[in-house]
Amino acid sequence: MDISFLGGPAPQRGVGVVAPFDFALDRELWRWVPDEVSLHMTRTPFVPVEVSLDLARLVSEHETLGEAVRTLNAIAPEVVAYACTSGSFVGGVTGERAMCEAMTWAGAVPSVTTSGALLDALAELGVRRVALVTPYTVSVTRALEEYVAEAGVTVTGCAFMGLTRHIWKVPYRDVADMARRAVPRAGAADALFISCTNLPTYDVIPQLEAELRIPVISANQVTMWAALRRLGTRAVGPYQALTDPSARTGPVVPGPAGPAVADMPGVGDGPDTEQQQEGWT
């Protein structure tokens, strides 16, 4: 059968993504990406260290990032994104900028990081007071608070899970519960940021925006939003304030097909409980 009349496949624009070795949410990243864009994933080398400040430093060394970016050069992405929140805030604002410069030097294309994208997203939304949710231990969470404060944004509340592994197994119900701890009342914050690219957030964002009445942004969301913006295109998402400007005015209303948080897939199937030590500030 002659299929030459199809003329395809359609041209694709590429986003290179460097992720830590334990990143497990490739499919979630793709959900923010329009059809004409492809993600080209690579990972940093394995190191036998659990989630901690030490791991954040190891997976963000300039040599490590440069080698990862060079593995993408043959397929010529138009932008490279480092999809790791802790790895990109552990060195502060100056350290994040230096990481972008190192990746751009290695790949000769524009580069973004999750934590740099976070600051861009807060500026885009006009946020001066933010609440935080993290799956991290207290020390890693404090480092995120310091990074945000260094950028001139006030942290109004914070809830953390105390996990050092298996973060991708956290169900939406737990994410929602921590969000309510971080934003206990109306007006407590201008926005909520859910940290860690290994923490699932895609489906819970519009539900939390409807409940909390503030923009809710997450690590994977801001990473894809920033990378796609460098391409001159927009991230896609179901009525999320960051990706849909029409969702920024007035109370956010969930779409008719949106499930309740408690009814979302995977709710109730939590991570290993022995690693958890929740807290809030």
Side-chain angles (χ1 to χ4, degrees), residues 68-86:
V69 171
R70 281 187 283 273
T71 67
L72 298 169
N73 285 349
I75 50 179
E78 295 180 49
V79 62
V80 172
Y82 179 47
C84 181
T85 322
S86 61

Side-chain angles (χ1 to χ4, degrees), residues 44 47-49 53-62 64 82 90:
T44 62
V47 289
V49 180
L53 289 175
D54 287 339
L55 179 61
R57 295 184 183 100
L58 286 171
V59 297
S60 61
E61 292 177 343
H62 289 190
T64 298
Y82 179 47
V90 70

Side-chain angles (χ1 to χ4, degrees), residues 66-138:
E67 286 298 320
V69 171
R70 281 187 283 273
T71 67
L72 298 169
N73 285 349
I75 50 179
E78 295 180 49
V79 62
V80 172
Y82 179 47
C84 181
T85 322
S86 61
S88 53
F89 68 60
V90 70
V93 172
T94 301
E96 188 277 332
R97 291 171 182 162
M99 291 173 62
C100 286
E101 292 175 2
M103 290 190 295
T104 295
W105 182 85
V109 293
S111 301
V112 301
T113 73
T114 299
S115 294
L118 163 61
L119 300 186
D120 289 344
L122 294 176
E124 171 76 10
L125 296 169
V127 172
R128 304 305 303 167
R129 302 179 308 133
V130 67
L132 306 175
V133 166
T134 89
Y136 311 132
T137 60
V138 63

Side-chain angles (χ1 to χ4, degrees), residues 28 32 85 114 118 192-196 199-202 205 216-223 240 242:
E28 176 162 291
W32 274 290
T85 322
T114 299
L118 163 61
L192 172 70
F193 174 61
I194 306 173
S195 190
C196 189
L199 185 65
T201 58
Y202 185 91
I205 290 173
V216 175
I217 57 178
S218 76
N220 283 331
Q221 181 203 47
V222 299
T223 304
Q240 300 171 9
L242 181 62

